[in-house]
Amino acid sequence: MFFASDNWAGAHPKIADGLSAHTAGFASAYGTSDIDRKVGERFNEIFEREVSVFFVGTGTAANSLSLAAFNQPGGVSFMHREAHMLEDECGAPEFLTGGSRLRAVDGPLGRMTAENLEHAMAHFEPESVHSGRPMAVSVTQATEVGTVYSLAELDAISAVAKTRGLPLHMDGARFANALVALDTTPAEMTWKRGVDIVSFGGTKNGCWCAEAVVLFDTSKAREFGFLRKRAAQLFSKSRFIAAQFDAYLADGLWLDNARHSNAMAAKLADAIAASGRVRLAWRPQANEVFAVMPKTTMKELNDAGAVFYPWNTPRSYTDPIGAEETMCRFVTSFATTAEEVDRFGALIA
Amino acid sequence: MFFASDNWAGAHPKIADGLSAHTAGFASAYGTSDIDRKVGERFNEIFEREVSVFFVGTGTAANSLSLAAFNQPGGVSFMHREAHMLEDECGAPEFLTGGSRLRAVDGPLGRMTAENLEHAMAHFEPESVHSGRPMAVSVTQATEVGTVYSLAELDAISAVAKTRGLPLHMDGARFANALVALDTTPAEMTWKRGVDIVSFGGTKNGCWCAEAVVLFDTSKAREFGFLRKRAAQLFSKSRFIAAQFDAYLADGLWLDNARHSNAMAAKLADAIAASGRVRLAWRPQANEVFAVMPKTTMKELNDAGAVFYPWNTPRSYTDPIGAEETMCRFVTSFATTAEEVDRFGALIA
Amino acid sequence: MFFASDNWAGAHPKIADGLSAHTAGFASAYGTSDIDRKVGERFNEIFEREVSVFFVGTGTAANSLSLAAFNQPGGVSFMHREAHMLEDECGAPEFLTGGSRLRAVDGPLGRMTAENLEHAMAHFEPESVHSGRPMAVSVTQATEVGTVYSLAELDAISAVAKTRGLPLHMDGARFANALVALDTTPAEMTWKRGVDIVSFGGTKNGCWCAEAVVLFDTSKAREFGFLRKRAAQLFSKSRFIAAQFDAYLADGLWLDNARHSNAMAAKLADAIAASGRVRLAWRPQANEVFAVMPKTTMKELNDAGAVFYPWNTPRSYTDPIGAEETMCRFVTSFATTAEEVDRFGALIA
Amino acid sequence: MFFASDNWAGAHPKIADGLSAHTAGFASAYGTSDIDRKVGERFNEIFEREVSVFFVGTGTAANSLSLAAFNQPGGVSFMHREAHMLEDECGAPEFLTGGSRLRAVDGPLGRMTAENLEHAMAHFEPESVHSGRPMAVSVTQATEVGTVYSLAELDAISAVAKTRGLPLHMDGARFANALVALDTTPAEMTWKRGVDIVSFGGTKNGCWCAEAVVLFDTSKAREFGFLRKRAAQLFSKSRFIAAQFDAYLADGLWLDNARHSNAMAAKLADAIAASGRVRLAWRPQANEVFAVMPKTTMKELNDAGAVFYPWNTPRSYTDPIGAEETMCRFVTSFATTAEEVDRFGALIA
């Protein structure tokens, strides 16, 4: 019963096999091999337009370099208060952009509202060198708390950014989970909404180590190549990432993995909602489930072999939590089994 | 006949198998899993003392973060003029240290001399805020041109560094190749010589993506953890690197690979030395071979299927090179076969 | 009626004369001249202990380099939500520390509370590379909204910092104004409270350009010298700053200027409190006065020659402000005259 | 007999008076006052076109921010081996550009040659993310060793830069000295030669603290405003710099000072050339004189009250220097008197 995080899973067998298949032989290094190129074209198909794809090693790198691609002295990037970049990346975005700043925007359950974004930006108007200036907007899709921005919500946020000529970044560490939740296409969820750059994550959804930055303005590709290399994110045997993406994006594996993962989260949420000992904090839309329970219950469940952790209560969650209670996070993945969820359900029944 | 670089090879089958073996199951993330710990202990054994090991994604990251571990405002790091950090890392060491400077030191065929290092440091004495100050010394072992520092040479360089309280870094992108060339132990080649920090490379010697920073002063480990995370080099599914190192360091695979690779280089050097059309620039000690040939010959050989590239002539190489000639580099790897070398030998016979 | 800011005043005549007196003759450069040393000793006297003093050109530099002196990868500095570093320095602290982060702490009218600081720090416990880590605490004394921390409040904040081994920085852009408001000594207001480093401002209180970083741990001086030079803040004709401080700190000029400035603020506050058209937002303790008035009144007063500007309402100010009203800031200085205040008083009577 | 550096002089009386004249009254801060604007227009006149002028505090800041204005990831700036940025600025250019690199180009006596520049750039062709890429060229005019680039030499260097679309920066810490040496105009020495940005120094030529960045492409001004503020170089009482420049640029004071300074250097060179104890290293064109002498003679002269220092021998100086001899630098300024030079002449006669 491993619900600690989707990065506790290993690799999906098809991805491991795909990587193994490319073990032998020689291929040109640093992203110039046939398989690198093939995967580049696959991204074009997936996004229904020409894109520039840059493999990097971590989601932190993808996010930080995405902001760096639009860097400005005195720049301020806007994102939800509980965004991963703000909470969990050790200041890497600030460091890798040379000192730009992140600004928290509030909104219900992981999603900033366009209104709050507008308000946060008004703080910087009229432009002044003292206050710094807006430089980018970033949304996490699916969010850090298992919710998903609707296309209309993305439109509204995008409009606030575009009015000011600002780029819109999507942290897609769980891109596929959001995509299948919305039952839409990559193009609809990104550039058709005004998204300029995507951190396209594969690691949490079945790869070993496969993250990419997808740029829709291909004229920025030359510059991004230098940004990536300077940040020590250009891999010599780049095909080890390409091969993972090749398998990941073949035959809909990435979507199947995400559908499975989301379904397991829904099943888990059902079990929690039915429990008398644990209560569902909110309904999940992707693969993260949040529940409130007594600390003693948490310990008891942990002791019984259910691996999950407490989580900071989102600021926007206003239901009462008792002094002896705690918010907990459960994450499902391609590797989560229905049997596992059932076993956990039995524990909390 | 792929001699372009040792990073054109894929993964050694045992390493690919080792990685596959860890595909299934759940493991805690960010370097805290059992296999991460096991590999950490394996490094202790290999270096015959307790060390702190940090996996990173690229050699550029290992080198840059090694310097960052000893960073100082106004700091200047000393390395050979043709060091990879100076020639091929897009300024990543400067960027990831927040603007420190690299200073070239000369010496024959990739190896700085202690005398030249002493002279380069004298430039900064007495200490002044204007000139900046020495912050670290870095040697590449094996060097970028296929040579290897002897233990005595390392001692001499180390003495210059230690006199000034400066740390000594070893760029070990081809650590194993140097080790077997010297027929010595990791301990003898590093901390017993005064080396403080090592970029321990596995990628060029049979891994997909396995680089590590090895710190001998384990009190610096806490700090390094933040440095690595801030630089976006902490991998969530860290066991994908650990599993590679596990196989790499088991049963002497890493040493076998390096011995094979060096032997293929020696064999290739013999073939070149015997050729009437191509001349050996200098005798290789590790897995890189340099030859001078007419540009027309290079083209002919390339057309015949031998993949290799021209290379900047080292400043210390003083033999005449004709206007119509060019220096070329050949790199062998675990995957190079004797048959391949023979075929190439036949081409240049 | 110039109440826009204390940096709209020129130089106090004694400071201008002091600078002129050092026009002729030769003196060694870069802070090594006799007058530099003399002023260094004067700082020792003022702080009643040996201190290290570094002149810099701007308050932004003093603040940013103060944080840089205690810099850590992944570091987070805590300061009041409306601190100058957070609101008005274009990200210079982030930039000059190589990407560290600032975190807002709330508290009434410019002063963070120890409780809120404690709470903000708890977010980073236990230590994790993901969240980053606390690196420094900064208080502005006097605050950006004309209030002053009491010695007891400084003690409480210091205790929170010291428990965690964190340095305490004081942004003393208006150091003298706070000092005379509290009727205390520099030693009592700083190191006896646990302050480790001070941005000691002279510019707003009668100098042309005289800012200094005062370090109480003199063992950090060598390092700070490099930090300052690397940030382009080491002035060749350093005596032009020293001469200003020499005059500023002689015969109590700095305290007289601050007393005058505070008195003018108090007088202005009285006039506002007595007005039927404008209402005092809160009672000033130093040299900044805040008032709420209809926007039409503001325009009328501006048109009548009173120079002052609207100001963002502090988050902690909860009195109602009408839709047609605005918060405004008035700053007095050594150059403000009672006559000027009276004239303004007449306008709003 | 103060020949240590031109920054050992104080302020020219007219500049001190000019500053004093602006002591009283209120003026808007941060570079927006009348005198700031007036000086901005004066720069337009001097350069015979519209320019953007940004005051900064130090020459180090002017140089570093000039490079930052054209910054690129992986960027490499080319300058003479003995350029101030390379030798004496503690890595500030690297730091303030976020880690770009400086590359030394050789040439006789402080002046890089176009041929050597061309050769140095060829190293980076074809473009590759590994090697980084050229980002700017910088010339120091007058050079660090008292020589001056001719207009033809500037044309040749500019052509190499322009062919590659690279900006040309001029470090004009001693701009006026070069200008009068060439008997030309600011326009002819800069933008008519292809110079894009100038560090316009006033401090060494009679100001207290007056440095400016002059941008010929005024469309870059908005960006530069943020760069300057983020680097803590925007002065609140900006008029203290403006007032110095106002006096400096009035009635040809700046040119008179430079002519005097250069004349004193020529006179000093004559005295040295006539000496039997000291020999002139090369003929000065601006206000720095270099001489070779026995170390015992240096000590004797120092003891007799002549303040000057040894200097690293330029790499391009090939005349023999005995083991017991040393190269020394003498710098004259507006404050150097003919009497002083005569006294020194008598000492070495």
Side-chain angles (χ1 to χ4, degrees):
Chain A
M1 295 173 293
F2 288 94
F3 304 119
S5 180
D6 31 12
N7 56 33
W8 280 48
H12 188 278
K14 286 188 183 172
I15 287 163
D17 289 351
L19 181 53
S20 292
H22 285 276
T23 297
F26 293 84
S28 64
Y30 297 114
T32 61
S33 76
D34 290 348
I35 180 83
D36 286 287
R37 261 192 294 271
K38 180 189 166 198
V39 171
E41 278 157 30
R42 185 75 182 99
F43 270 94
N44 291 346
E45 288 170 24
I46 283 173
F47 282 100
E48 302 174 41
R49 63 180 283 172
E50 204 189 347
V51 301
S52 292
V53 180
F54 292 86
F55 303 150
V56 295
T58 63
T60 301
N63 287 339
S64 301
L65 294 182
S66 290
L67 294 190
F70 297 95
N71 205 24
Q72 293 190 72
V76 180
S77 298
F78 297 75
M79 58 198 63
H80 190 270
R81 179 173 302 280
E82 284 125 21
H84 199 260
M85 278 202 268
L86 261 168
E87 283 295 308
D88 286 302
E89 293 182 346
C90 196
E94 287 93 336
F95 177 63
L96 292 171
T97 56
S100 75
R101 186 180 284 185
L102 311 186
R103 193 172 174 99
V105 179
D106 283 301
L109 296 178
R111 289 165 304 194
M112 72 168 82
T113 64
E115 291 70 25
N116 287 346
L117 177 61
E118 179 81 37
H119 181 75
M121 288 200 170
H123 186 77
F124 295 88
E125 292 161 359
E127 182 176 289
S128 143
V129 295
H130 301 283
S131 58
R133 56 181 162 174
M135 142 183 147
V137 176
S138 177
V139 292
T140 311
Q141 178 80 321
T143 75
E144 288 78 4
V145 296
T147 58
V148 174
Y149 284 99
S150 71
L151 299 190
E153 286 168 335
L154 291 175
D155 277 336
I157 287 166
S158 179
V160 176
K162 295 310 165 200
T163 300
R164 290 161 177 85
L166 294 180
L168 180 56
H169 166 253
M170 179 175 282
D171 175 354
R174 296 186 179 95
F175 188 91
N177 300 89
L179 197 68
V180 301
L182 292 177
D183 194 18
T184 188
T185 66
E188 288 292 341
M189 198 168 80
T190 59
W191 60 271
K192 289 188 177 177
R193 302 277 78 68
V195 172
D196 297 283
I197 191 165
V198 177
S199 297
F200 188 92
T203 307
K204 289 182 193 294
N205 194 33
C207 295
W208 268 127
C209 165
E211 302 288 319
V213 173
V214 179
L215 266 163
F216 297 120
D217 178 355
T218 56
S219 75
K220 285 186 157 293
R222 178 186 167 221
E223 196 63 17
F224 202 89
F226 283 95
L227 271 175
R228 177 177 61 171
K229 176 67 187 175
R230 188 183 64 164
Q233 291 285 343
L234 176 58
F235 291 83
S236 57
K237 295 184 179 174
S238 172
R239 60 172 155 155
F240 95 90
I241 298 183
Q244 293 177 69
F245 271 128
D246 187 44
Y248 182 67
L249 299 174
D251 306 322
L253 176 62
W254 65 306
L255 302 175
D256 291 345
N257 281 0
R259 273 188 210 103
H260 174 81
S261 177
N262 288 6
M264 289 300 102
K267 183 178 170 67
L268 181 61
D270 290 342
I272 291 170
S275 165
R277 307 176 59 203
V278 169
R279 67 180 186 277
L280 190 65
W282 56 88
R283 195 78 213 163
Q285 295 176 276
N287 67 321
E288 297 186 287
V289 183
F290 292 78
V292 177
M293 67 188 74
K295 289 172 188 171
T296 51
T297 306
M298 186 186 81
K299 186 174 182 327
E300 185 192 319
L301 293 169
N302 287 168
D303 289 348
V307 182
F308 62 93
Y309 293 107
W311 197 257
N312 289 326
T313 305
R315 183 183 283 216
S316 60
Y317 183 79
T318 53
D319 287 7
I321 299 182
E324 296 308 313
E325 292 186 319
T326 181
M327 174 75 70
C328 292
R329 184 183 78 154
F330 300 77
V331 193
T332 56
S333 74
F334 77 93
T336 305
T337 63
E339 182 274 334
E340 237 181 339
V341 176
D342 285 338
R343 268 202 292 144
F344 182 75
L347 276 179
I348 60 170
Chain B
M1 296 173 293
F2 287 94
F3 304 119
S5 180
D6 32 11
N7 56 33
W8 280 47
H12 188 278
K14 287 188 182 171
I15 288 164
D17 289 351
L19 182 53
S20 291
H22 285 276
T23 297
F26 294 85
S28 64
Y30 298 114
T32 60
S33 75
D34 291 347
I35 180 82
D36 286 287
R37 261 193 295 270
K38 180 189 166 199
V39 170
E41 278 157 30
R42 185 74 183 102
F43 270 93
N44 291 346
E45 288 169 23
I46 283 173
F47 282 99
E48 302 173 41
R49 65 180 282 172
E50 205 188 347
V51 300
S52 293
V53 180
F54 292 85
F55 303 150
V56 295
T58 62
T60 301
N63 286 338
S64 301
L65 294 181
S66 289
L67 294 190
F70 296 95
N71 205 25
Q72 295 190 70
V76 180
S77 298
F78 297 75
M79 58 198 63
H80 191 269
R81 179 173 302 280
E82 283 124 22
H84 198 261
M85 278 202 268
L86 262 168
E87 284 294 309
D88 286 302
E89 293 182 346
C90 196
E94 287 94 335
F95 177 63
L96 292 170
T97 56
S100 76
R101 187 179 285 184
L102 311 186
R103 192 172 175 101
V105 179
D106 284 300
L109 296 178
R111 289 165 304 194
M112 71 167 83
T113 63
E115 292 70 26
N116 287 346
L117 177 61
E118 180 81 35
H119 181 74
M121 288 200 170
H123 185 79
F124 295 88
E125 292 162 359
E127 182 175 290
S128 143
V129 295
H130 302 282
S131 59
R133 55 182 163 173
M135 140 184 149
V137 176
S138 176
V139 291
T140 311
Q141 178 80 322
T143 74
E144 288 78 4
V145 296
T147 57
V148 173
Y149 284 98
S150 70
L151 299 190
E153 287 168 334
L154 291 175
D155 277 336
I157 287 166
S158 179
V160 176
K162 295 311 165 199
T163 300
R164 290 160 178 85
L166 295 179
L168 181 56
H169 166 254
M170 180 176 281
D171 175 354
R174 297 186 177 95
F175 188 90
N177 300 88
L179 197 68
V180 301
L182 291 178
D183 194 18
T184 187
T185 67
E188 289 291 341
M189 197 167 82
T190 59
W191 59 273
K192 290 188 177 177
R193 302 276 79 67
V195 172
D196 296 284
I197 192 164
V198 177
S199 297
F200 188 92
T203 307
K204 290 181 193 295
N205 194 33
C207 295
W208 268 126
C209 166
E211 303 288 320
V213 172
V214 179
L215 266 163
F216 297 119
D217 178 356
T218 56
S219 75
K220 285 185 158 293
R222 178 186 167 221
E223 196 63 18
F224 201 89
F226 284 95
L227 271 176
R228 178 176 61 171
K229 177 66 186 177
R230 187 184 62 163
Q233 292 285 343
L234 176 58
F235 291 83
S236 57
K237 295 184 179 174
S238 173
R239 60 171 153 156
F240 96 90
I241 298 183
Q244 294 177 69
F245 272 128
D246 187 43
Y248 182 66
L249 299 173
D251 306 323
L253 176 61
W254 65 306
L255 303 176
D256 291 345
N257 280 0
R259 274 188 211 104
H260 174 81
S261 177
N262 288 6
M264 289 300 103
K267 183 178 169 69
L268 181 60
D270 290 342
I272 291 170
S275 166
R277 307 176 58 202
V278 169
R279 67 180 185 276
L280 189 65
W282 56 88
R283 193 80 213 162
Q285 294 176 276
N287 67 321
E288 297 187 286
V289 182
F290 292 78
V292 178
M293 67 188 76
K295 289 172 187 169
T296 51
T297 305
M298 185 186 81
K299 184 172 185 327
E300 185 192 320
L301 293 168
N302 287 168
D303 289 349
V307 183
F308 62 92
Y309 292 107
W311 197 257
N312 289 326
T313 305
R315 184 184 283 218
S316 60
Y317 183 79
T318 53
D319 287 8
I321 299 182
E324 295 309 312
E325 292 185 319
T326 181
M327 174 76 71
C328 292
R329 185 183 77 153
F330 299 78
V331 193
T332 57
S333 76
F334 78 93
T336 305
T337 62
E339 182 272 334
E340 237 180 338
V341 176
D342 285 338
R343 267 203 293 145
F344 183 74
L347 274 180
I348 59 169
Chain C
M1 296 175 294
F2 288 93
F3 304 119
S5 179
D6 31 12
N7 56 34
W8 280 46
H12 188 278
K14 286 188 184 173
I15 287 164
D17 290 350
L19 182 52
S20 291
H22 286 276
T23 297
F26 293 85
S28 64
Y30 298 115
T32 61
S33 75
D34 290 347
I35 180 84
D36 286 287
R37 262 193 293 271
K38 180 188 167 199
V39 170
E41 278 157 29
R42 185 74 183 101
F43 270 93
N44 291 346
E45 288 169 24
I46 283 173
F47 281 100
E48 302 174 40
R49 65 179 283 171
E50 203 188 346
V51 301
S52 293
V53 180
F54 291 86
F55 303 149
V56 296
T58 63
T60 302
N63 286 339
S64 300
L65 295 180
S66 290
L67 294 189
F70 296 95
N71 204 25
Q72 294 190 71
V76 180
S77 298
F78 297 74
M79 58 199 63
H80 191 271
R81 179 174 302 280
E82 285 125 19
H84 198 261
M85 277 201 271
L86 261 168
E87 283 294 308
D88 285 303
E89 293 184 344
C90 195
E94 287 93 336
F95 177 63
L96 292 171
T97 56
S100 75
R101 187 179 284 184
L102 312 186
R103 193 173 174 98
V105 179
D106 283 301
L109 295 178
R111 289 165 305 194
M112 71 168 82
T113 64
E115 291 69 26
N116 287 346
L117 177 62
E118 180 80 36
H119 182 75
M121 288 200 171
H123 186 79
F124 295 88
E125 292 161 358
E127 182 176 289
S128 143
V129 295
H130 301 283
S131 59
R133 56 182 162 172
M135 140 183 149
V137 177
S138 177
V139 291
T140 311
Q141 179 79 324
T143 75
E144 288 78 4
V145 296
T147 57
V148 174
Y149 284 99
S150 71
L151 299 190
E153 287 168 335
L154 292 175
D155 277 336
I157 287 167
S158 179
V160 176
K162 296 310 164 197
T163 301
R164 291 161 177 85
L166 294 179
L168 181 55
H169 166 253
M170 179 176 283
D171 176 354
R174 296 186 178 94
F175 188 90
N177 300 89
L179 196 68
V180 301
L182 292 177
D183 195 18
T184 187
T185 67
E188 287 293 340
M189 197 168 84
T190 59
W191 60 271
K192 290 189 177 176
R193 302 276 79 68
V195 172
D196 296 284
I197 191 165
V198 177
S199 297
F200 187 93
T203 307
K204 288 182 194 295
N205 194 33
C207 296
W208 267 127
C209 166
E211 303 288 318
V213 173
V214 179
L215 267 163
F216 297 119
D217 178 355
T218 57
S219 76
K220 284 186 158 293
R222 179 186 166 219
E223 196 64 16
F224 201 89
F226 284 95
L227 271 176
R228 178 177 60 171
K229 176 67 186 176
R230 187 183 64 164
Q233 292 284 342
L234 176 58
F235 291 84
S236 57
K237 295 184 179 175
S238 173
R239 60 172 154 156
F240 96 89
I241 299 184
Q244 293 178 69
F245 271 128
D246 186 45
Y248 182 67
L249 299 173
D251 306 323
L253 176 63
W254 66 305
L255 304 175
D256 291 344
N257 281 359
R259 274 188 210 104
H260 174 81
S261 176
N262 287 7
M264 289 301 102
K267 183 178 169 69
L268 181 61
D270 290 343
I272 291 170
S275 165
R277 308 175 58 203
V278 169
R279 67 180 185 276
L280 190 65
W282 57 88
R283 193 79 213 163
Q285 294 176 276
N287 67 321
E288 297 187 286
V289 183
F290 292 78
V292 178
M293 67 188 77
K295 289 171 187 171
T296 51
T297 305
M298 185 186 81
K299 185 173 183 326
E300 184 192 320
L301 293 169
N302 287 167
D303 290 348
V307 183
F308 62 92
Y309 293 107
W311 197 256
N312 289 327
T313 305
R315 184 183 283 217
S316 60
Y317 183 80
T318 54
D319 287 8
I321 299 182
E324 296 308 312
E325 291 184 319
T326 181
M327 174 75 71
C328 292
R329 184 183 78 152
F330 299 76
V331 193
T332 56
S333 75
F334 77 91
T336 306
T337 63
E339 182 274 334
E340 236 180 341
V341 177
D342 285 339
R343 268 202 293 145
F344 182 75
L347 276 179
I348 59 170
Chain D
M1 296 175 292
F2 288 93
F3 303 119
S5 179
D6 31 11
N7 56 32
W8 280 48
H12 188 278
K14 287 187 182 171
I15 288 164
D17 290 350
L19 182 52
S20 291
H22 286 276
T23 296
F26 293 84
S28 63
Y30 298 114
T32 61
S33 75
D34 291 347
I35 180 83
D36 286 286
R37 261 193 294 271
K38 179 189 166 198
V39 170
E41 279 157 29
R42 185 74 183 100
F43 271 94
N44 291 346
E45 289 168 23
I46 282 173
F47 282 100
E48 303 173 41
R49 65 179 282 172
E50 205 188 346
V51 300
S52 292
V53 180
F54 292 86
F55 303 149
V56 296
T58 62
T60 302
N63 286 338
S64 301
L65 294 181
S66 289
L67 294 190
F70 296 95
N71 205 25
Q72 294 191 69
V76 180
S77 298
F78 297 75
M79 58 198 63
H80 190 271
R81 179 173 302 279
E82 284 125 20
H84 198 260
M85 278 202 269
L86 262 168
E87 283 294 308
D88 285 303
E89 293 183 344
C90 196
E94 287 93 336
F95 177 63
L96 292 172
T97 55
S100 75
R101 186 179 285 185
L102 311 186
R103 192 172 175 100
V105 179
D106 283 301
L109 296 178
R111 289 165 303 195
M112 72 168 81
T113 63
E115 293 68 26
N116 287 345
L117 177 62
E118 180 80 36
H119 182 75
M121 288 200 169
H123 186 79
F124 295 88
E125 293 161 0
E127 182 175 289
S128 143
V129 295
H130 301 283
S131 58
R133 56 182 162 172
M135 142 183 147
V137 176
S138 177
V139 291
T140 311
Q141 179 79 322
T143 75
E144 288 78 5
V145 296
T147 56
V148 174
Y149 285 98
S150 70
L151 299 190
E153 287 168 335
L154 292 175
D155 277 335
I157 287 167
S158 179
V160 176
K162 295 310 165 198
T163 300
R164 290 161 177 84
L166 294 179
L168 180 57
H169 165 253
M170 180 176 283
D171 176 354
R174 296 186 179 93
F175 188 90
N177 300 90
L179 196 68
V180 301
L182 292 177
D183 194 19
T184 187
T185 67
E188 288 292 341
M189 198 168 82
T190 60
W191 60 271
K192 290 189 177 177
R193 301 276 78 68
V195 172
D196 296 284
I197 191 165
V198 177
S199 297
F200 187 93
T203 307
K204 289 182 194 294
N205 193 33
C207 295
W208 267 127
C209 166
E211 303 287 319
V213 173
V214 179
L215 266 163
F216 297 119
D217 178 356
T218 57
S219 75
K220 285 185 156 294
R222 178 186 167 220
E223 196 64 17
F224 201 89
F226 284 95
L227 271 176
R228 177 176 61 171
K229 176 67 186 175
R230 187 183 65 163
Q233 292 285 343
L234 177 58
F235 291 83
S236 57
K237 295 184 178 174
S238 173
R239 60 171 154 156
F240 95 90
I241 298 184
Q244 293 178 69
F245 271 129
D246 187 44
Y248 182 68
L249 299 173
D251 305 325
L253 176 63
W254 65 307
L255 302 176
D256 291 343
N257 280 0
R259 273 187 211 104
H260 175 80
S261 178
N262 287 7
M264 289 300 102
K267 183 178 170 69
L268 180 61
D270 290 342
I272 291 170
S275 165
R277 307 176 59 201
V278 169
R279 66 180 186 277
L280 189 66
W282 56 87
R283 194 77 214 165
Q285 294 176 277
N287 67 321
E288 296 187 287
V289 183
F290 292 78
V292 179
M293 68 187 76
K295 289 172 188 170
T296 51
T297 305
M298 185 186 81
K299 187 174 182 326
E300 185 192 319
L301 293 168
N302 286 169
D303 289 349
V307 183
F308 63 92
Y309 292 108
W311 197 256
N312 288 326
T313 305
R315 182 182 284 215
S316 60
Y317 183 80
T318 52
D319 287 8
I321 299 182
E324 296 308 312
E325 293 185 317
T326 181
M327 174 75 71
C328 293
R329 185 183 77 154
F330 299 76
V331 193
T332 57
S333 76
F334 77 91
T336 305
T337 63
E339 182 274 333
E340 236 180 341
V341 176
D342 285 337
R343 268 203 292 145
F344 183 74
L347 276 179
I348 60 170

